Amino acid sequence: MRRRTIEPRPDWQNIVEAQGLIYPLTRYPDDSLRPYWDESAYYSFSAAEIDALEEVVEELHGMCLAAAEHIVAHDRFADLGLTDPRLTAKVAEAWHRRAELPSVYGRFDLRYDGTGPAKMLEYNADTPTSLVEAASPQWFWMEDRFPAADQWNSLHERLVAAWKRQAALLPPGAPLHFAHSAADELGEDLMTVAYLRETAEQAGLATEAIAMEEIGWDRLSGRFVDQRLRFVRACFKLYPWEWLTTDAFGPHVLDTLDNGGATGSTLWIEPAWKMLLSNKALLAVLWELFPGHPNLLPAYLDGPRDLPAGPGYVAKPLLGREGEGVTVHPPGTAAVRRDEPCCYQELAPLPDFDGNRVVLGAWVVDDEAAGLGIRESAGLVTDAYARFVPHLIA
């Protein structure tokens, strides 16, 4: 694994925008605009490194499914902050009937520097983003700059294949709606959903686009409807389950949840059982079930335990995106137990490549490792100011 510098293509911004990355720049607090898509550098991996990472990702995914089974079997929903009995019953039902429910993708965030085992930082298996840049502009960048190289990137093909395979699980005769929140100002959620919709259409599915805020409730029929008053029978939503079930229409979501084969209900993708994997409490459950595993970091729910005296720790809210609420506690600092439910994970500082802190986003599609996206940041927490940097296999 090496970081290489390179001269960006002269018209790089227009190129990546045409490829779906309509948010190539990030606005900073000083009101300046700086590249989010950063092709002034790239990461080079050996084929052996990529093979090893693929194996790690698939093993971690299997371990996460085992942890989900444990949470449901031992009724440990409270550890995840899930205390509503109606909700937990629906999540458990979704887990038990998961073979009947479409589930498309997820993204592991990994710490890796090429010299030791990759370490799992977290798993977003409900609403992961940075998909567009990983699947499309990154691939075309490689074809432009290094046409003889390869890349860990079978995202597009695997997404199309996943929709084809799971089409039989969708309600017959109904379009698959694709929804994002209109509150998304950058266009990232919009384009992520648009891209996933494109892969579904290439798989032969009939689709419709809608904003979450445009989904209505028909009181007479007791069903969700779109702008044309058609029943929303199946919907891919880039909208976290913890929001979906606590919004004003949350009770209706649970009342009409299709957890496999129900009529007159709404089938949501990703399914409700993904709440078990996109919660930071999963990290502590994994460490409990697989203590000492080389690809895991020690993690606890009851406090940092002995981590302050050793490597230090990070405190992560059970739910959140882009590093929001994460605090870093270096070695030797006093142990602090936060008031809100948190996961306390061993501090594993992100690798520093020429002043750039790097995190690997490893994608899973239809239960198989499918590709890699890399983000760089200036600090230890990968936040909203991170940059996406392409990669190749040399």
Side-chain angles (χ1 to χ4, degrees):
M1 179 180 178
R2 297 287 187 270
R3 187 181 193 273
R4 314 283 191 186
T5 57
I6 188 173
E7 190 69 24
R9 292 168 295 181
D11 199 24
W12 67 267
Q13 184 174 341
N14 288 330
I15 292 172
V16 299
E17 286 181 351
Q19 293 163 352
L21 192 69
I22 64 171
Y23 41 95
L25 304 174
T26 299
R27 187 172 298 280
Y28 279 68
D30 63 2
D31 212 34
S32 64
L33 289 171
R34 308 177 200 176
Y36 164 65
W37 169 268
D38 186 357
E39 59 177 68
S40 67
Y42 67 93
Y43 284 84
S44 174
F45 295 83
S46 69
E49 286 177 317
I50 294 299
D51 288 344
L53 285 169
E54 284 188 284
E55 291 181 7
V56 165
V57 168
E58 297 205 352
E59 181 177 4
L60 286 173
H61 180 66
M63 291 162 58
C64 288
L65 296 181
E69 173 65 34
H70 172 83
I71 292 168
V72 173
H74 294 83
D75 193 16
R76 295 188 59 179
F77 294 102
D79 288 338
L80 281 65
L82 303 177
T83 56
D84 180 346
R86 288 190 69 221
L87 175 58
T88 58
K90 292 293 187 180
V91 173
E93 180 187 40
W95 172 254
H96 291 310
R97 305 187 67 174
R98 63 190 179 279
E100 305 168 48
L101 302 174
S103 174
V104 182
Y105 77 142
R107 191 196 72 226
F108 281 99
D109 284 348
L110 304 175
R111 186 219 181 269
Y112 181 71
D113 62 5
T115 63
K119 300 289 187 179
M120 176 180 170
L121 300 175
E122 57 189 65
Y123 191 14
N124 187 339
D126 184 19
T127 59
T129 53
S130 76
L131 176 67
V132 174
E133 46 269 48
S136 179
Q138 178 177 225
W139 180 264
F140 292 118
W141 167 86
M142 182 194 68
E143 290 192 326
D144 280 351
R145 304 307 304 269
F146 301 94
D150 199 359
Q151 193 175 84
W152 183 15
N153 188 359
S154 58
L155 280 164
H156 190 87
E157 301 92 322
R158 288 183 183 271
L159 286 166
V160 174
W163 290 120
K164 286 183 178 179
R165 190 186 73 79
Q166 301 189 54
L169 302 177
L170 298 172
L176 175 59
H177 286 77
F178 280 79
H180 75 288
S181 174
D184 166 41
E185 297 179 351
L186 297 177
E188 183 177 16
D189 290 358
L190 167 67
M191 293 310 297
T192 300
V193 168
Y195 174 66
L196 285 164
R197 183 186 175 199
E198 178 185 341
T199 61
E201 289 180 342
Q202 289 185 19
L205 301 181
T207 71
E208 292 286 346
I210 193 171
M212 290 297 298
E213 292 81 359
E214 293 175 336
I215 298 176
W217 177 253
D218 182 2
R219 295 181 181 178
L220 293 178
S221 64
R223 297 175 68 171
F224 288 109
V225 294
D226 64 14
Q227 312 97 310
R228 294 162 59 185
L229 300 182
R230 296 173 302 180
F231 295 144
V232 177
R233 188 66 184 83
C235 184
F236 175 92
K237 54 48 176 200
L238 196 68
Y239 197 75
W241 269 100
E242 63 268 20
W243 297 358
L244 191 67
T245 55
T246 56
D247 282 351
F249 289 98
H252 297 321
V253 171
L254 297 181
D255 289 341
T256 62
L257 180 60
D258 181 349
N259 262 344
T263 58
S265 304
T266 300
L267 178 72
W268 298 96
I269 309 169
E270 297 290 325
W273 66 263
K274 285 296 191 80
M275 295 185 79
L276 304 172
L277 302 189
S278 288
N279 188 300
K280 306 301 188 299
L282 172 74
L283 302 169
V285 176
L286 283 168
W287 186 249
E288 178 185 324
L289 297 178
F290 305 97
H293 192 282
N295 301 120
L296 297 178
L297 293 166
Y300 311 102
L301 295 177
D302 58 357
R305 298 193 186 181
D306 58 346
L307 296 177
Y313 68 98
V314 292
K316 299 180 175 181
L318 299 187
L319 302 169
R321 298 176 65 183
E322 296 186 323
E324 183 179 359
V326 174
T327 55
V328 178
H329 304 262
T333 56
V336 178
R337 195 175 192 282
R338 289 167 51 167
D339 293 335
E340 65 179 314
C342 283
C343 177
Y344 302 87
Q345 185 184 49
E346 180 182 293
L347 173 61
L350 295 177
D352 187 334
F353 288 82
D354 302 323
N356 301 285
R357 298 283 187 171
V358 60
V359 63
L360 271 58
W363 290 93
V364 172
V365 175
D366 206 8
D367 293 323
E368 294 183 351
L372 176 66
I374 298 175
R375 288 168 293 158
E376 290 183 339
S377 55
L380 293 176
V381 178
T382 306
D383 57 19
Y385 300 105
R387 304 173 303 280
F388 188 95
V389 181
H391 82 278
L392 55 79
I393 303 172

